[in-house]
Amino acid sequence: MNQLYMLGLSHDDVPVKIRERLGLDADQVNRLLHTLKVKSGVEEVCILSTCNRFECYYSTVEPKAARRQLNQILADISGLSEKKLDGAVRLRRGEWAAAHLFRVSAGCDSMVVGEPQILGQVKDAYGLADRQGTLGPVLRTLFEHSFRSGKRARSETPIGEKPVSVSYVAVEFGRRIFGELHQAKILVIGAGETALETVGCLKREGVRNILVANRTASRAQSLAKKIDGKPLSFAQLPQVLQQVDIVISSTAAKEPVLSRTMLAEAAEGRKGRALFLVDIAVPRDIEASAGELSGIFLYNIDDLKAQAEQNKRERQAAIQAAGQILHGELEAFKRWVAERQVAPTIVRLRQKLLALGEQEMVDFFGTSDNAAEQAKRKEYTRRLVERLLHEPSVALKKLGSERGGLLEVDAVRRLFKLEE
Amino acid sequence: MVENLLISSLIAGWLTFLLAAYAVFARTGSKIGRGFPAAGLVLVIALLTYYIVARSAELGHFPAFCWRDLLVIFAWSFTVILVVTFFRRGRPVIMAGGLVPPVILLTLAVLATPREVVPESFFFKADLGLHVIVSFLGYAALWLAFLSGGFYFVLERGLKSKKVDHYLRILPPLDDLDRLFYRASGVGFILLTLCIFSGAHFLRRLTGQWWSWDPKVVLTSITWLIYAVILHQRAVIGWRGRRAMLLSLLGVLLIVMTFVGVNVLFPGHGSSLLGR
C-alpha cells in the first residue's frame, strides 16, 4: 500500500487557468503514460484527465525520484515552472490515494456531486493505461475496486439520482407526468439558451416531434432547422396547444405570450389530457394563474431552480451514505494489499516445509522405484504440510492487515530462515 | 390439506406484500422491486387456485357457499387482476396497494369458521359460482381503479405544488395512473354489469322475479350507476383527478357495504336470499 501514490490537481484547489494546461486528450495521455513508464521509474501508472481534474496514480519503490521526474515532465507539458506546479499539485499516499480515487469514482469529489460522467472517465483512464501496458496488479485491483464503489454508490444511495440542472429538472417533471417521453409532442416558443438546452435533453430522451413557433416566420424556420423541428406561426398557437404535450417558452416578450384564457380553451379541447408548460422566460411568457387550471402543469424558471437546488442538497446529504460504501471497499482493497504482502512468506514457508517433508520421507523409508508409492508419499507430505500450515497462513494474512503486523511476519521469516 | 394450502397462501401473501412494501420504501433495483414480488404473486395465485380446485373436489361443486371459501375466492380475484396489471407495467407501489385487500381477506379466511350453506339444487350452485367469480373480479378491478385514482390525485397535487419529493417518486407517472384508472374502471364496470345480469338470472330462478329490493341488489345497482357516470364523464369531458377519485371512493365504499355490511347484517352467504 505504501508504494501507491496519487499526484494531481482538481477543481477543489486549483483555478481553471492552471487546470486547463493539464487538460490532456487521449493521445496526449498515451504519450505521457509511455514517457512516465520509461523515464520516471514508476512500476505502474494510470492518468485521469478531465476538465475538472488531472490525477496521476502510480506505484513505485522510489517515491522521491519518481516525484521529481513526474514534476519535470508535467512542468514541460503544462508550460508552468516546476515550483509553481509543485505548489499546485497535491500528493496522496497509500490508503489516502486509494480513498481519493474511490471518492472520485463515486462522484463525491465532483463539482456537481454525483454527476454520472466521472465513472466513465475513470474507466476510460483505466482502458488507456491498460492498452499502454502501464498497469500492474496494484493499480488493476485499485481501479477495479473503484469501479465497484462508484457503481454501488450510485445504485445504493441517492447520490446521482435527482437532476441538478434546470434543463434536466424540467425533463424529470415531464417524466413524472408522461412517463416515457419519446412519444411526446413538443412546442418550443422563442429561442432562449436554457430552452434549447431543455430541447436537447428531451431529444436525448427520444423526442422527435418538435414544433417551433416564433413571431417572425424566418426566425421560426431557422430555429426549426437548428433543432430538427417544424416551424409554425403564432397565429397557429391556439390550435397547436390542443395537440402538444409539452410547451417550452422563452421569448423576450414583455407581455405574456400564452394567456390564461387561451390555455383554458386549450384545456377544454384536450379533455383533461395533461399539458406540461415550462416557462423559462423573464419576464414570464405564460400567465401564472394558468397553472391553476385542471390538467395544466406550469413551471417557471424559479420553480425549476428551486427543485434543482433541493436536489443538490439531497445529493450532498447522500455523500455520507456513500462514504460507508466507499469505506467498505477501501477495507477490502487494504485486505487485498495486506494479503499480497504476506503471500511470498506463506509460499516460501510452504515450499520449505514440503522440501523438508519429502527429504524426511526419503531418509526414513528410503527411495522407492514404484511410481504409485512415490506419488502416495508425495501426496501424504503435501496434505500434512497443508494441514500444518492452514492456521498459520490465516494468522499471517491477518497480521498483514494489522498495524505493526508486518514486523511479526518478518519475525516468522527470520525464524524459519525464509530469506535464504 | 386445504388447511395447509390456506396457511401457505396466507404466508406467501404477506411475504409478497412485505417485499413489495420494502421495494416501495427502500430504493431497490429490478430484482427486489419487480422480480421477487412478481414471483410471490404467482405463487399466491397458484396456491389459491389449488385451494379452490381442492375444495371443489372435496365438496363436489364450486366452493362458494361458506364464508371461508368466499373470502379465499375474493382474495384470488384480487391477485388475478393484480397480476395482469403488474406484468404489463408494474410498479411496487401498485403491487403493495393491490395486495392490501387479498392479505386482509386471507387473514380473515384463516380466522373464519367454515360453515356451509347448501343450496337447493345443482343449478343454483353453478349459477352462484359464476355470479361470485364475476362480481369478485369486478370488485377487484374497481379497487385497483380506486387505488390508481387515489395515487393520481396525490401525484397531481404534488406536481401542482411543483415539488417532486421522495414519496412522489415511488408513484408511476401521471399518465400511467390515468390509463390504469380508466382501464380498471372499464373492466370493473363490464364485470359489474355481468354480475348484475347473472345476479338477476339467479334471482329469477329462485323467486321468479328479475328484481328485488334486497339491499345487496340495490347497492350494487347504485355502484353500477356511479361507475357509469365516471366512465361517461371521462369519455365526454375528460374527468380526471379529484372528482373521479371521489366518485371512485364512493363506489368502493358501496362495494364494501355490499359485501361486508349486508352479509354481516344478513348472515348467510353470497346472497342474503339464500339465508332466508
Side-chain angles (χ1 to χ4, degrees):
Chain A
M1 186 69 109
N2 289 337
Q3 296 168 8
L4 176 67
Y5 293 88
M6 188 289 289
L7 184 83
L9 44 84
S10 74
H11 63 91
D12 263 348
D13 28 42
V14 175
V16 68
K17 64 180 180 186
I18 293 181
R19 288 203 316 269
E20 67 191 2
R21 288 172 181 251
L22 282 167
L24 310 181
D25 61 27
D27 286 340
Q28 289 170 309
V29 169
N30 274 335
R31 281 199 295 276
L32 181 58
L33 282 169
H34 181 71
T35 314
L36 289 175
K37 182 80 179 168
V38 174
K39 286 188 182 171
S40 69
V42 295
E43 285 160 18
E44 302 175 37
V45 60
C46 182
I47 290 166
L48 172 65
S49 175
T50 73
C51 50
N52 284 326
R53 65 182 69 246
F54 174 86
E55 287 171 356
C56 179
Y57 293 85
Y58 59 94
S59 154
T60 181
V61 283
E62 291 172 29
K64 282 186 182 166
R67 176 159 188 186
R68 211 171 35 248
Q69 287 287 335
L70 206 57
N71 259 17
Q72 266 176 17
I73 294 166
L74 294 181
D76 286 348
I77 290 174
S78 63
L80 295 165
S81 68
E82 274 187 51
K83 199 179 167 192
K84 196 167 186 185
L85 188 79
D86 204 38
V89 293
R90 191 178 268 207
L91 182 73
R92 287 184 168 92
R93 185 185 177 195
E95 69 173 276
W96 297 104
H100 178 74
L101 179 62
F102 291 179
R103 275 178 62 82
V104 168
S105 300
C108 297
D109 205 54
S110 296
M111 196 178 263
V112 176
V113 172
E115 51 102 357
Q117 287 86 7
I118 188 65
L119 185 58
Q121 288 165 334
V122 174
K123 283 181 181 173
D124 289 345
Y126 177 85
L128 282 178
D130 195 23
R131 281 191 291 280
Q132 280 292 315
T134 61
L135 290 178
V138 175
L139 286 192
R140 262 182 213 287
T141 314
L142 173 73
F143 274 76
E144 277 158 15
H145 275 280
S146 84
F147 301 154
R148 194 158 51 236
S149 55
K151 202 175 162 193
R152 281 188 61 203
R154 268 176 188 78
S155 61
E156 294 173 30
T157 75
I159 194 161
E161 199 179 53
K162 298 177 183 175
V164 289
S165 78
V166 165
S167 326
Y168 270 105
V169 167
V171 172
E172 175 67 10
F173 275 119
R175 272 206 217 106
R176 300 307 314 143
I177 296 169
F178 302 108
E180 301 284 326
L181 292 174
H182 61 274
Q183 284 184 326
K185 209 170 180 181
I186 292 175
L187 168 65
V188 184
I189 309 173
E193 197 184 321
T194 318
L196 293 182
E197 242 175 63
T198 312
V199 172
C201 294
L202 287 166
K203 283 177 85 173
R204 278 193 285 281
E205 291 289 312
V207 170
R208 293 286 167 267
N209 213 336
I210 304 170
L211 301 170
V212 181
N214 211 298
R215 278 199 199 282
T216 52
S218 60
R219 286 204 69 182
Q221 264 168 0
S222 67
L223 184 61
K225 208 173 170 187
K226 199 171 164 187
I227 59 174
D228 209 9
K230 223 168 105 184
L232 50 94
S233 68
F234 265 34
Q236 291 171 282
L237 281 180
Q239 264 178 308
V240 171
L241 282 173
Q242 296 195 8
Q243 297 154 13
V244 295
D245 303 299
I246 301 173
V247 178
I248 300 161
S249 187
S250 72
T251 73
K254 299 284 176 217
E255 295 296 318
V257 177
L258 301 180
S259 65
R260 184 190 165 108
T261 324
M262 198 191 252
L263 286 164
E265 277 169 21
E268 204 174 317
R270 296 176 68 83
K271 288 188 177 175
R273 270 189 305 121
L275 177 61
F276 175 39
L277 303 166
V278 184
D279 184 356
I280 306 176
V282 180
R284 286 173 288 176
D285 279 345
I286 304 170
E287 216 173 302
S289 62
E292 295 159 13
L293 296 168
S294 173
I296 302 280
F297 299 90
L298 170 62
Y299 297 83
N300 62 37
I301 187 78
D302 280 1
D303 301 328
L304 300 177
K305 275 185 180 165
Q307 184 68 42
E309 284 305 315
Q310 167 73 17
N311 292 353
K312 273 183 198 165
R313 284 194 292 277
E314 286 179 29
R315 281 191 179 198
Q316 283 289 347
I319 287 183
Q320 206 178 354
Q324 288 175 349
I325 292 169
L326 304 188
H327 180 72
E329 287 295 333
L330 182 63
E331 287 301 313
F333 177 66
K334 277 162 70 181
R335 271 200 303 280
W336 176 83
V337 171
E339 284 175 17
R340 192 172 170 268
Q341 279 173 323
V342 297
T345 307
I346 296 171
V347 169
R348 276 184 211 142
L349 189 60
R350 188 171 173 275
Q351 283 168 348
K352 185 157 191 172
L353 288 187
L354 270 176
L356 274 171
E358 277 166 15
Q359 185 58 50
E360 279 304 307
M361 272 290 177
V362 172
D363 290 351
F364 197 78
F365 293 108
T367 49
S368 167
D369 295 335
N370 187 339
E373 178 62 21
Q374 277 181 357
K376 211 171 162 185
R377 287 181 188 181
K378 217 169 182 172
E379 178 60 13
Y380 170 77
T381 315
R382 190 192 66 77
R383 286 178 68 171
L384 185 67
V385 170
E386 291 292 334
R387 291 198 72 172
L388 268 172
L389 277 186
H390 175 69
E391 282 180 10
S393 302
V394 173
L396 280 171
K397 283 179 185 173
K398 205 177 163 203
L399 279 174
S401 57
E402 284 173 6
R403 189 180 285 271
L406 286 178
L407 284 174
E408 291 180 52
V409 175
D410 195 45
V412 172
R413 292 165 78 98
R414 280 188 282 127
L415 202 64
F416 287 92
K417 294 195 175 166
L418 296 178
E419 302 302 341
E420 294 158 20
Chain B
M1 188 184 72
V2 287
E3 287 291 325
N4 290 339
L5 276 172
L6 189 57
I7 299 285
S8 309
S9 33
L10 177 74
I11 294 168
W14 271 104
L15 283 177
T16 310
F17 169 70
L18 291 174
L19 262 176
Y22 173 75
V24 171
F25 293 108
R27 300 162 356 84
T28 54
S30 57
K31 253 189 184 172
I32 296 179
R34 284 178 60 95
F36 289 144
L41 189 62
V42 170
L43 178 69
V44 176
I45 293 179
L47 288 167
L48 291 178
T49 310
Y50 193 18
Y51 173 93
I52 295 167
V53 171
R55 273 292 277 166
S56 302
E58 192 180 302
L59 299 171
H61 58 77
F62 189 73
F65 305 97
C66 81
W67 263 109
R68 174 175 284 187
D69 294 342
L70 276 173
L71 289 166
V72 171
I73 296 164
F74 205 178
W76 176 86
S77 310
F78 275 104
T79 52
V80 166
I81 291 288
L82 189 59
V83 84
V84 175
T85 315
F86 194 73
F87 277 95
R88 276 184 64 85
R89 210 178 179 133
R91 288 283 181 120
V93 68
I94 298 285
M95 169 76 100
L99 274 172
V100 170
V103 290
I104 292 174
L105 289 167
L106 283 175
T107 310
L108 291 173
V110 169
L111 299 173
T113 323
R115 183 169 63 84
E116 197 162 349
V117 179
V118 185
E120 291 160 21
S121 74
F122 170 76
F123 292 107
F124 290 150
K125 289 175 196 168
D127 290 352
L128 193 61
L130 180 71
H131 176 66
V132 163
I133 289 276
V134 167
S135 23
F136 284 179
L137 283 172
Y139 293 164
L142 295 176
W143 163 257
L144 209 60
F146 166 67
L147 196 70
S148 47
F151 286 154
Y152 183 100
F153 175 66
V154 172
L155 183 58
E156 189 190 31
R157 280 177 70 103
L159 286 167
K160 285 269 186 190
S161 73
K162 298 165 185 184
K163 274 183 189 159
V164 181
D165 292 328
H166 176 69
Y167 76 95
L168 289 180
R169 283 169 196 276
I170 64 180
L171 298 176
L174 206 64
D175 256 15
D176 285 4
L177 287 169
D178 179 52
R179 223 171 289 131
L180 182 58
F181 175 79
Y182 192 46
R183 286 183 187 164
S185 301
V187 169
F189 181 73
I190 293 167
L191 289 166
L192 202 60
T193 312
L194 290 176
C195 156
I196 289 172
F197 276 121
S198 59
H201 174 69
F202 175 63
L203 193 71
R204 188 164 175 271
R205 275 181 177 276
L206 206 66
T207 65
Q209 289 174 319
W210 288 101
W211 177 259
S212 131
W213 287 103
D214 180 273
K216 178 167 273 186
V217 178
V218 176
L219 283 175
T220 307
S221 306
I222 297 172
T223 312
W224 185 89
L225 272 175
I226 286 172
Y227 281 99
V229 170
I230 291 176
L231 289 169
H232 176 266
Q233 294 298 82
R234 172 68 164 73
V236 177
I237 56 169
W239 259 24
R240 283 169 170 86
R242 202 167 133 256
R243 274 175 297 190
M245 198 272 294
L246 285 175
L247 267 188
S248 181
L249 172 66
L250 185 63
V252 166
L253 286 176
L254 281 172
I255 290 169
V256 173
M257 273 175 67
T258 315
F259 187 69
V260 181
V262 176
N263 279 311
V264 171
L265 288 172
F266 300 93
H269 59 88
S271 167
S272 54
L273 285 163
L274 280 175
R276 291 177 186 172

